[in-house]
PDB file of all heavy atoms in Angstrom:
ATOM      1  N   TYR A 629     -56.610  34.529 -40.627  1.00 96.00           N
ATOM      2  CA  TYR A 629     -57.717  33.850 -39.941  1.00 96.00           C
ATOM      3  C   TYR A 629     -57.869  32.426 -40.461  1.00 96.00           C
ATOM      4  O   TYR A 629     -57.564  32.145 -41.630  1.00 96.00           O
ATOM      5  CB  TYR A 629     -59.012  34.638 -40.154  1.00 96.00           C
ATOM      6  CG  TYR A 629     -58.962  35.974 -39.470  1.00 96.00           C
ATOM      7  CD1 TYR A 629     -58.465  37.095 -40.136  1.00 96.00           C
ATOM      8  CD2 TYR A 629     -59.351  36.104 -38.144  1.00 96.00           C
ATOM      9  CE1 TYR A 629     -58.367  38.328 -39.489  1.00 96.00           C
ATOM     10  CE2 TYR A 629     -59.262  37.330 -37.489  1.00 96.00           C
ATOM     11  CZ  TYR A 629     -58.765  38.438 -38.171  1.00 96.00           C
ATOM     12  OH  TYR A 629     -58.656  39.642 -37.529  1.00 96.00           O
ATOM     13  N   ASN A 630     -58.355  31.559 -39.604  1.00 96.00           N
ATOM     14  CA  ASN A 630     -58.604  30.170 -39.973  1.00 96.00           C
ATOM     15  C   ASN A 630     -59.976  30.081 -40.665  1.00 96.00           C
ATOM     16  O   ASN A 630     -61.001  30.332 -40.028  1.00 96.00           O
ATOM     17  CB  ASN A 630     -58.587  29.322 -38.689  1.00 96.00           C
ATOM     18  CG  ASN A 630     -58.803  27.853 -38.963  1.00 96.00           C
ATOM     19  OD1 ASN A 630     -59.246  27.478 -40.063  1.00 96.00           O
ATOM     20  ND2 ASN A 630     -58.497  27.016 -37.985  1.00 96.00           N
ATOM     21  N   PRO A 631     -60.009  29.723 -41.951  1.00 97.00           N
ATOM     22  CA  PRO A 631     -61.300  29.704 -42.655  1.00 97.00           C
ATOM     23  C   PRO A 631     -62.277  28.667 -42.095  1.00 97.00           C
ATOM     24  O   PRO A 631     -63.474  28.788 -42.300  1.00 97.00           O
ATOM     25  CB  PRO A 631     -60.922  29.320 -44.098  1.00 97.00           C
ATOM     26  CG  PRO A 631     -59.450  29.408 -44.183  1.00 97.00           C
ATOM     27  CD  PRO A 631     -58.894  29.301 -42.805  1.00 97.00           C
ATOM     28  N   SER A 632     -61.761  27.683 -41.360  1.00 97.00           N
ATOM     29  CA  SER A 632     -62.647  26.633 -40.843  1.00 97.00           C
ATOM     30  C   SER A 632     -63.462  27.090 -39.646  1.00 97.00           C
ATOM     31  O   SER A 632     -64.517  26.525 -39.361  1.00 97.00           O
ATOM     32  CB  SER A 632     -61.833  25.394 -40.444  1.00 97.00           C
ATOM     33  OG  SER A 632     -61.267  24.807 -41.583  1.00 97.00           O
ATOM     34  N   ASN A 633     -62.937  28.091 -38.870  1.00 96.00           N
ATOM     35  CA  ASN A 633     -63.712  28.545 -37.701  1.00 96.00           C
ATOM     36  C   ASN A 633     -63.698  30.063 -37.532  1.00 96.00           C
ATOM     37  O   ASN A 633     -64.228  30.576 -36.544  1.00 96.00           O
ATOM     38  CB  ASN A 633     -63.195  27.861 -36.420  1.00 96.00           C
ATOM     39  CG  ASN A 633     -61.703  28.078 -36.230  1.00 96.00           C
ATOM     40  OD1 ASN A 633     -61.137  29.045 -36.751  1.00 96.00           O
ATOM     41  ND2 ASN A 633     -61.061  27.186 -35.501  1.00 96.00           N
ATOM     42  N   GLY A 634     -63.065  30.749 -38.462  1.00 95.00           N
ATOM     43  CA  GLY A 634     -63.051  32.214 -38.421  1.00 95.00           C
ATOM     44  C   GLY A 634     -62.140  32.796 -37.354  1.00 95.00           C
ATOM     45  O   GLY A 634     -62.078  34.010 -37.162  1.00 95.00           O
ATOM     46  N   GLU A 635     -61.384  31.920 -36.638  1.00 95.00           N
ATOM     47  CA  GLU A 635     -60.557  32.435 -35.531  1.00 95.00           C
ATOM     48  C   GLU A 635     -59.237  33.018 -36.031  1.00 95.00           C
ATOM     49  O   GLU A 635     -58.680  32.544 -37.024  1.00 95.00           O
ATOM     50  CB  GLU A 635     -60.256  31.297 -34.540  1.00 95.00           C
ATOM     51  CG  GLU A 635     -61.450  30.973 -33.673  1.00 95.00           C
ATOM     52  CD  GLU A 635     -61.218  29.735 -32.810  1.00 95.00           C
ATOM     53  OE1 GLU A 635     -60.068  29.246 -32.736  1.00 95.00           O
ATOM     54  OE2 GLU A 635     -62.225  29.259 -32.231  1.00 95.00           O
ATOM     55  N   LEU A 637     -55.451  33.531 -36.433  1.00 95.00           N
ATOM     56  CA  LEU A 637     -54.377  32.531 -36.449  1.00 95.00           C
ATOM     57  C   LEU A 637     -53.047  33.118 -36.006  1.00 95.00           C
ATOM     58  O   LEU A 637     -52.443  32.709 -35.032  1.00 95.00           O
ATOM     59  CB  LEU A 637     -54.187  32.005 -37.870  1.00 95.00           C
ATOM     60  CG  LEU A 637     -55.011  30.837 -38.352  1.00 95.00           C
ATOM     61  CD1 LEU A 637     -54.615  30.489 -39.778  1.00 95.00           C
ATOM     62  CD2 LEU A 637     -54.792  29.644 -37.434  1.00 95.00           C
ATOM     63  N   GLU A 693     -51.114  24.066 -43.953  1.00 98.00           N
ATOM     64  CA  GLU A 693     -51.917  24.483 -45.112  1.00 98.00           C
ATOM     65  C   GLU A 693     -53.415  24.322 -44.842  1.00 98.00           C
ATOM     66  O   GLU A 693     -54.224  25.186 -45.202  1.00 98.00           O
ATOM     67  CB  GLU A 693     -51.510  23.648 -46.335  1.00 98.00           C
ATOM     68  CG  GLU A 693     -52.006  24.205 -47.649  1.00 98.00           C
ATOM     69  CD  GLU A 693     -51.213  25.416 -48.123  1.00 98.00           C
ATOM     70  OE1 GLU A 693     -50.979  26.337 -47.316  1.00 98.00           O
ATOM     71  OE2 GLU A 693     -50.829  25.436 -49.303  1.00 98.00           O
ATOM     72  N   SER A 694     -53.761  23.225 -44.184  1.00 98.00           N
ATOM     73  CA  SER A 694     -55.185  22.997 -43.901  1.00 98.00           C
ATOM     74  C   SER A 694     -55.734  24.072 -42.974  1.00 98.00           C
ATOM     75  O   SER A 694     -56.850  24.561 -43.160  1.00 98.00           O
ATOM     76  CB  SER A 694     -55.394  21.613 -43.275  1.00 98.00           C
ATOM     77  OG  SER A 694     -55.245  20.639 -44.274  1.00 98.00           O
ATOM     78  N   ILE A 695     -54.935  24.446 -41.969  1.00 97.00           N
ATOM     79  CA  ILE A 695     -55.404  25.460 -41.027  1.00 97.00           C
ATOM     80  C   ILE A 695     -55.463  26.835 -41.701  1.00 97.00           C
ATOM     81  O   ILE A 695     -56.385  27.615 -41.501  1.00 97.00           O
ATOM     82  CB  ILE A 695     -54.484  25.496 -39.779  1.00 97.00           C
ATOM     83  CG1 ILE A 695     -54.607  24.170 -39.013  1.00 97.00           C
ATOM     84  CG2 ILE A 695     -54.835  26.670 -38.874  1.00 97.00           C
ATOM     85  CD1 ILE A 695     -53.621  24.002 -37.887  1.00 97.00           C
ATOM     86  N   ASP A 696     -54.485  27.111 -42.545  1.00 97.00           N
ATOM     87  CA  ASP A 696     -54.377  28.438 -43.164  1.00 97.00           C
ATOM     88  C   ASP A 696     -55.353  28.626 -44.331  1.00 97.00           C
ATOM     89  O   ASP A 696     -55.961  29.679 -44.487  1.00 97.00           O
ATOM     90  CB  ASP A 696     -52.921  28.614 -43.648  1.00 97.00           C
ATOM     91  CG  ASP A 696     -52.573  30.054 -43.968  1.00 97.00           C
ATOM     92  OD1 ASP A 696     -53.350  30.948 -43.608  1.00 97.00           O
ATOM     93  OD2 ASP A 696     -51.511  30.287 -44.583  1.00 97.00           O
ATOM     94  N   VAL A 697     -55.482  27.581 -45.167  1.00 98.00           N
ATOM     95  CA  VAL A 697     -56.269  27.724 -46.405  1.00 98.00           C
ATOM     96  C   VAL A 697     -57.655  27.076 -46.280  1.00 98.00           C
ATOM     97  O   VAL A 697     -58.563  27.390 -47.048  1.00 98.00           O
ATOM     98  CB  VAL A 697     -55.492  27.110 -47.597  1.00 98.00           C
ATOM     99  CG1 VAL A 697     -56.243  27.278 -48.904  1.00 98.00           C
ATOM    100  CG2 VAL A 697     -54.111  27.736 -47.731  1.00 98.00           C
ATOM    101  N   GLY A 698     -57.805  26.144 -45.331  1.00 97.00           N
ATOM    102  CA  GLY A 698     -59.095  25.470 -45.181  1.00 97.00           C
ATOM    103  C   GLY A 698     -59.234  24.218 -46.037  1.00 97.00           C
ATOM    104  O   GLY A 698     -60.337  23.701 -46.211  1.00 97.00           O
ATOM    105  N   LYS A 699     -58.104  23.726 -46.557  1.00 97.00           N
ATOM    106  CA  LYS A 699     -58.184  22.512 -47.382  1.00 97.00           C
ATOM    107  C   LYS A 699     -58.300  21.280 -46.504  1.00 97.00           C
ATOM    108  O   LYS A 699     -57.564  21.172 -45.522  1.00 97.00           O
ATOM    109  CB  LYS A 699     -56.863  22.304 -48.146  1.00 97.00           C
ATOM    110  CG  LYS A 699     -56.630  23.199 -49.285  1.00 97.00           C
ATOM    111  CD  LYS A 699     -55.167  23.064 -49.737  1.00 97.00           C
ATOM    112  CE  LYS A 699     -54.860  24.110 -50.746  1.00 97.00           C
ATOM    113  NZ  LYS A 699     -55.202  23.731 -52.104  1.00 97.00           N
ATOM    114  N   PRO A 700     -59.141  20.313 -46.898  1.00 98.00           N
ATOM    115  CA  PRO A 700     -59.117  19.028 -46.192  1.00 98.00           C
ATOM    116  C   PRO A 700     -57.678  18.459 -46.195  1.00 98.00           C
ATOM    117  O   PRO A 700     -56.943  18.648 -47.172  1.00 98.00           O
ATOM    118  CB  PRO A 700     -60.064  18.168 -47.028  1.00 98.00           C
ATOM    119  CG  PRO A 700     -60.979  19.150 -47.693  1.00 98.00           C
ATOM    120  CD  PRO A 700     -60.148  20.370 -47.941  1.00 98.00           C
ATOM    121  N   GLY A 917     -67.101  20.508 -44.066  1.00 97.00           N
ATOM    122  CA  GLY A 917     -66.722  20.708 -42.664  1.00 97.00           C
ATOM    123  C   GLY A 917     -65.301  21.187 -42.524  1.00 97.00           C
ATOM    124  O   GLY A 917     -64.607  21.425 -43.526  1.00 97.00           O
ATOM    125  N   PRO A 918     -64.839  21.338 -41.266  1.00 97.00           N
ATOM    126  CA  PRO A 918     -63.502  21.878 -40.998  1.00 97.00           C
ATOM    127  C   PRO A 918     -62.410  21.084 -41.698  1.00 97.00           C
ATOM    128  O   PRO A 918     -62.497  19.855 -41.798  1.00 97.00           O
ATOM    129  CB  PRO A 918     -63.366  21.753 -39.480  1.00 97.00           C
ATOM    130  CG  PRO A 918     -64.763  21.659 -38.957  1.00 97.00           C
ATOM    131  CD  PRO A 918     -65.559  21.001 -40.031  1.00 97.00           C
ATOM    132  N   ALA A 919     -61.386  21.792 -42.123  1.00 97.00           N
ATOM    133  CA  ALA A 919     -60.321  21.156 -42.900  1.00 97.00           C
ATOM    134  C   ALA A 919     -59.689  19.979 -42.163  1.00 97.00           C
ATOM    135  O   ALA A 919     -59.400  18.952 -42.773  1.00 97.00           O
ATOM    136  CB  ALA A 919     -59.255  22.202 -43.238  1.00 97.00           C
ATOM    137  N   ILE A 920     -59.483  20.144 -40.867  1.00 95.00           N
ATOM    138  CA  ILE A 920     -58.770  19.060 -40.176  1.00 95.00           C
ATOM    139  C   ILE A 920     -59.645  17.821 -39.970  1.00 95.00           C
ATOM    140  O   ILE A 920     -59.155  16.760 -39.630  1.00 95.00           O
ATOM    141  CB  ILE A 920     -58.117  19.506 -38.836  1.00 95.00           C
ATOM    142  CG1 ILE A 920     -59.124  20.183 -37.943  1.00 95.00           C
ATOM    143  CG2 ILE A 920     -56.926  20.411 -39.067  1.00 95.00           C
ATOM    144  CD1 ILE A 920     -58.573  20.415 -36.543  1.00 95.00           C
ATOM    145  N   LYS A 921     -60.934  17.941 -40.214  1.00 96.00           N
ATOM    146  CA  LYS A 921     -61.796  16.744 -40.179  1.00 96.00           C
ATOM    147  C   LYS A 921     -61.651  15.932 -41.459  1.00 96.00           C
ATOM    148  O   LYS A 921     -62.142  14.805 -41.562  1.00 96.00           O
ATOM    149  CB  LYS A 921     -63.257  17.133 -39.988  1.00 96.00           C
ATOM    150  CG  LYS A 921     -63.612  17.461 -38.563  1.00 96.00           C
ATOM    151  CD  LYS A 921     -65.117  17.367 -38.362  1.00 96.00           C
ATOM    152  CE  LYS A 921     -65.508  17.773 -36.969  1.00 96.00           C
ATOM    153  NZ  LYS A 921     -66.946  18.045 -36.878  1.00 96.00           N
ATOM    154  N   VAL A 925     -65.326  18.301 -48.552  1.00 98.00           N
ATOM    155  CA  VAL A 925     -65.272  19.732 -48.892  1.00 98.00           C
ATOM    156  C   VAL A 925     -64.986  20.553 -47.636  1.00 98.00           C
ATOM    157  O   VAL A 925     -65.619  20.352 -46.593  1.00 98.00           O
ATOM    158  CB  VAL A 925     -66.624  20.203 -49.507  1.00 98.00           C
ATOM    159  CG1 VAL A 925     -66.537  21.665 -49.958  1.00 98.00           C
ATOM    160  CG2 VAL A 925     -67.031  19.317 -50.688  1.00 98.00           C
ATOM    161  N   GLY A 926     -64.025  21.464 -47.745  1.00 98.00           N
ATOM    162  CA  GLY A 926     -63.710  22.374 -46.633  1.00 98.00           C
ATOM    163  C   GLY A 926     -64.424  23.703 -46.834  1.00 98.00           C
ATOM    164  O   GLY A 926     -65.268  23.850 -47.721  1.00 98.00           O
ATOM    165  N   PRO A 927     -64.059  24.690 -46.015  1.00 98.00           N
ATOM    166  CA  PRO A 927     -64.641  26.019 -46.185  1.00 98.00           C
ATOM    167  C   PRO A 927     -64.007  26.717 -47.393  1.00 98.00           C
ATOM    168  O   PRO A 927     -62.998  26.246 -47.912  1.00 98.00           O
ATOM    169  CB  PRO A 927     -64.217  26.744 -44.903  1.00 98.00           C
ATOM    170  CG  PRO A 927     -62.928  26.068 -44.523  1.00 98.00           C
ATOM    171  CD  PRO A 927     -63.073  24.628 -44.920  1.00 98.00           C
ATOM    172  N   VAL A 928     -64.579  27.829 -47.830  1.00 98.00           N
ATOM    173  CA  VAL A 928     -63.865  28.680 -48.781  1.00 98.00           C
ATOM    174  C   VAL A 928     -62.947  29.587 -47.975  1.00 98.00           C
ATOM    175  O   VAL A 928     -62.980  29.596 -46.745  1.00 98.00           O
ATOM    176  CB  VAL A 928     -64.819  29.476 -49.709  1.00 98.00           C
ATOM    177  CG1 VAL A 928     -65.590  28.523 -50.605  1.00 98.00           C
ATOM    178  CG2 VAL A 928     -65.764  30.367 -48.920  1.00 98.00           C
ATOM    179  N   ILE A 929     -62.093  30.315 -48.649  1.00 98.00           N
ATOM    180  CA  ILE A 929     -60.971  30.973 -47.973  1.00 98.00           C
ATOM    181  C   ILE A 929     -61.365  32.080 -47.005  1.00 98.00           C
ATOM    182  O   ILE A 929     -60.691  32.296 -46.005  1.00 98.00           O
ATOM    183  CB  ILE A 929     -59.970  31.523 -49.028  1.00 98.00           C
ATOM    184  CG1 ILE A 929     -58.694  32.079 -48.378  1.00 98.00           C
ATOM    185  CG2 ILE A 929     -60.611  32.612 -49.889  1.00 98.00           C
ATOM    186  CD1 ILE A 929     -57.765  31.067 -47.879  1.00 98.00           C
ATOM    187  N   SER A 930     -62.441  32.800 -47.279  1.00 97.00           N
ATOM    188  CA  SER A 930     -62.727  33.999 -46.480  1.00 97.00           C
ATOM    189  C   SER A 930     -64.219  34.320 -46.526  1.00 97.00           C
ATOM    190  O   SER A 930     -64.959  33.806 -47.365  1.00 97.00           O
ATOM    191  CB  SER A 930     -61.957  35.193 -47.053  1.00 97.00           C
ATOM    192  OG  SER A 930     -62.344  35.384 -48.408  1.00 97.00           O
ATOM    193  N   ASN A 957     -71.856  18.905 -40.934  1.00 92.00           N
ATOM    194  CA  ASN A 957     -70.595  18.843 -40.195  1.00 92.00           C
ATOM    195  C   ASN A 957     -69.995  20.213 -39.915  1.00 92.00           C
ATOM    196  O   ASN A 957     -68.951  20.309 -39.293  1.00 92.00           O
ATOM    197  CB  ASN A 957     -69.571  18.006 -40.970  1.00 92.00           C
ATOM    198  CG  ASN A 957     -69.873  16.535 -40.849  1.00 92.00           C
ATOM    199  OD1 ASN A 957     -69.509  15.910 -39.872  1.00 92.00           O
ATOM    200  ND2 ASN A 957     -70.573  15.996 -41.844  1.00 92.00           N
ATOM    201  N   SER A 958     -70.603  21.255 -40.431  1.00 91.00           N
ATOM    202  CA  SER A 958     -70.014  22.583 -40.225  1.00 91.00           C
ATOM    203  C   SER A 958     -70.949  23.494 -39.444  1.00 91.00           C
ATOM    204  O   SER A 958     -70.636  24.646 -39.209  1.00 91.00           O
ATOM    205  CB  SER A 958     -69.682  23.211 -41.576  1.00 91.00           C
ATOM    206  OG  SER A 958     -70.825  23.243 -42.389  1.00 91.00           O
ATOM    207  N   ASP A 960     -71.714  23.819 -36.326  1.00 81.00           N
ATOM    208  CA  ASP A 960     -71.273  24.410 -35.057  1.00 81.00           C
ATOM    209  C   ASP A 960     -70.054  25.305 -35.229  1.00 81.00           C
ATOM    210  O   ASP A 960     -69.453  25.746 -34.254  1.00 81.00           O
ATOM    211  CB  ASP A 960     -70.922  23.292 -34.058  1.00 81.00           C
ATOM    212  CG  ASP A 960     -72.144  22.433 -33.767  1.00 81.00           C
ATOM    213  OD1 ASP A 960     -73.251  22.989 -33.835  1.00 81.00           O
ATOM    214  OD2 ASP A 960     -71.972  21.227 -33.519  1.00 81.00           O
ATOM    215  N   GLU A 961     -69.637  25.522 -36.442  1.00 85.00           N
ATOM    216  CA  GLU A 961     -68.407  26.293 -36.682  1.00 85.00           C
ATOM    217  C   GLU A 961     -68.758  27.676 -37.227  1.00 85.00           C
ATOM    218  O   GLU A 961     -69.792  27.850 -37.855  1.00 85.00           O
ATOM    219  CB  GLU A 961     -67.541  25.570 -37.725  1.00 85.00           C
ATOM    220  CG  GLU A 961     -67.267  24.110 -37.435  1.00 85.00           C
ATOM    221  CD  GLU A 961     -66.189  23.922 -36.370  1.00 85.00           C
ATOM    222  OE1 GLU A 961     -65.470  24.888 -36.088  1.00 85.00           O
ATOM    223  OE2 GLU A 961     -66.103  22.804 -35.834  1.00 85.00           O
ATOM    224  N   ASN A 962     -67.825  28.622 -37.016  1.00 93.00           N
ATOM    225  CA  ASN A 962     -68.044  29.958 -37.587  1.00 93.00           C
ATOM    226  C   ASN A 962     -67.222  30.166 -38.851  1.00 93.00           C
ATOM    227  O   ASN A 962     -66.829  31.282 -39.162  1.00 93.00           O
ATOM    228  CB  ASN A 962     -67.656  31.032 -36.564  1.00 93.00           C
ATOM    229  CG  ASN A 962     -68.622  31.051 -35.409  1.00 93.00           C
ATOM    230  OD1 ASN A 962     -69.832  30.949 -35.623  1.00 93.00           O
ATOM    231  ND2 ASN A 962     -68.097  31.115 -34.205  1.00 93.00           N
ATOM    232  N   GLY A 963     -66.945  29.083 -39.520  1.00 96.00           N
ATOM    233  CA  GLY A 963     -66.115  29.184 -40.729  1.00 96.00           C
ATOM    234  C   GLY A 963     -66.914  29.624 -41.935  1.00 96.00           C
ATOM    235  O   GLY A 963     -68.108  29.925 -41.839  1.00 96.00           O
ATOM    236  N   PHE A 964     -66.225  29.612 -43.078  1.00 97.00           N
ATOM    237  CA  PHE A 964     -66.810  30.184 -44.296  1.00 97.00           C
ATOM    238  C   PHE A 964     -67.271  29.053 -45.227  1.00 97.00           C
ATOM    239  O   PHE A 964     -66.600  28.728 -46.209  1.00 97.00           O
ATOM    240  CB  PHE A 964     -65.785  31.093 -44.975  1.00 97.00           C
ATOM    241  CG  PHE A 964     -65.078  31.998 -43.992  1.00 97.00           C
ATOM    242  CD1 PHE A 964     -63.700  31.990 -43.875  1.00 97.00           C
ATOM    243  CD2 PHE A 964     -65.805  32.836 -43.153  1.00 97.00           C
ATOM    244  CE1 PHE A 964     -63.054  32.804 -42.967  1.00 97.00           C
ATOM    245  CE2 PHE A 964     -65.172  33.665 -42.236  1.00 97.00           C
ATOM    246  CZ  PHE A 964     -63.790  33.639 -42.137  1.00 97.00           C
ATOM    247  N   TYR A 965     -68.392  28.474 -44.875  1.00 97.00           N
ATOM    248  CA  TYR A 965     -68.850  27.281 -45.583  1.00 97.00           C
ATOM    249  C   TYR A 965     -69.893  27.623 -46.646  1.00 97.00           C
ATOM    250  O   TYR A 965     -70.698  28.526 -46.462  1.00 97.00           O
ATOM    251  CB  TYR A 965     -69.419  26.266 -44.591  1.00 97.00           C
ATOM    252  CG  TYR A 965     -68.372  25.807 -43.605  1.00 97.00           C
ATOM    253  CD1 TYR A 965     -68.290  26.365 -42.331  1.00 97.00           C
ATOM    254  CD2 TYR A 965     -67.425  24.858 -43.979  1.00 97.00           C
ATOM    255  CE1 TYR A 965     -67.293  25.978 -41.445  1.00 97.00           C
ATOM    256  CE2 TYR A 965     -66.429  24.461 -43.090  1.00 97.00           C
ATOM    257  CZ  TYR A 965     -66.372  25.028 -41.826  1.00 97.00           C
ATOM    258  OH  TYR A 965     -65.384  24.640 -40.966  1.00 97.00           O
TER     259      TYR A 965
END
Side-chain angles (χ1 to χ4, degrees):
Y629 293 89
N630 181 345
S632 293
N633 55 24
E635 284 173 10
L637 272 181
E693 194 76 312
S694 286
I695 294 172
D696 195 12
V697 182
K699 286 168 189 274
I920 53 170
K921 281 199 184 164
V925 184
V928 295
I929 187 74
S930 59
N957 284 278
S958 55
D960 299 330
E961 308 282 344
N962 291 318
F964 315 123
Y965 298 98

